[in-house]
Amino acid sequence: QGQPVESGGGLVQAGGSLRLSCVVSRAITSVFNSKVMGWFRQAPGKQRELVATITRLGSSNYSDSVKGRFTISRDNAHKKVYLQMNSLKPEDTAVYYCNSDTREFSWGQGTQVTVSS
């Protein structure tokens, strides 16, 4: 089924921006395109939570905690998913992962996002 590879995290000050990328290169393109893809995050001591999803045709949804600040997008031809994060807050600090909304792919290593106050 393929394993997502996430990148783009880092250390940023509150109010800053980051753009995360995810590629599921080993997935069959038609399989990837059939999935609603999402970005999840897991902060220390907390459960992994779904923060954004996007359908094959680009319809997106967001958790209340990131709505208006984060934008999810995807490139179906290259099996990629992106997360543009603006106006970052310290509470956005977490390891970020991408997967289908039903978690059908194996989990990748994630990418660490740290927001300093």
Side-chain angles (χ1 to χ4, degrees):
Q1 288 279 25
Q3 182 178 54
V5 177
E6 301 91 352
S7 62
L11 173 63
V12 64
Q13 289 187 333
S17 298
L18 284 173
R19 187 182 190 229
L20 306 184
S21 299
C22 165
V23 60
V24 194
S25 57
R26 292 189 177 182
I28 298 171
T29 301
S30 60
V31 171
F32 175 87
N33 289 344
S34 72
K35 307 300 182 186
V36 175
M37 293 299 296
W39 281 96
F40 300 74
R41 69 184 182 187
Q42 187 167 20
K46 295 188 177 180
Q47 288 191 336
R48 194 167 298 183
E49 63 169 336
L50 179 61
V51 298
T53 61
I54 186 166
T55 67
R56 175 177 64 89
L57 297 180
S59 178
S60 58
N61 278 291
Y62 302 90
S63 67
D64 289 343
S65 60
V66 307
K67 195 174 297 181
R69 300 186 298 120
F70 290 11
T71 302
I72 189 171
S73 59
R74 66 189 289 169
D75 176 349
N76 292 328
H78 296 95
K79 295 172 286 185
K80 292 183 175 181
V81 187
Y82 303 99
L83 187 68
Q84 177 67 42
M85 306 187 296
N86 298 328
S87 302
L88 283 161
K89 304 175 181 181
E91 51 264 43
D92 295 319
T93 295
V95 179
Y96 284 72
Y97 304 87
C98 78
N99 208 321
S100 72
D101 65 335
T102 53
R103 301 156 173 84
E104 292 179 57
F105 297 112
S106 300
W107 289 103
Q109 294 295 312
T111 186
Q112 175 72 48
V113 172
T114 304
V115 185
S116 63
S117 58

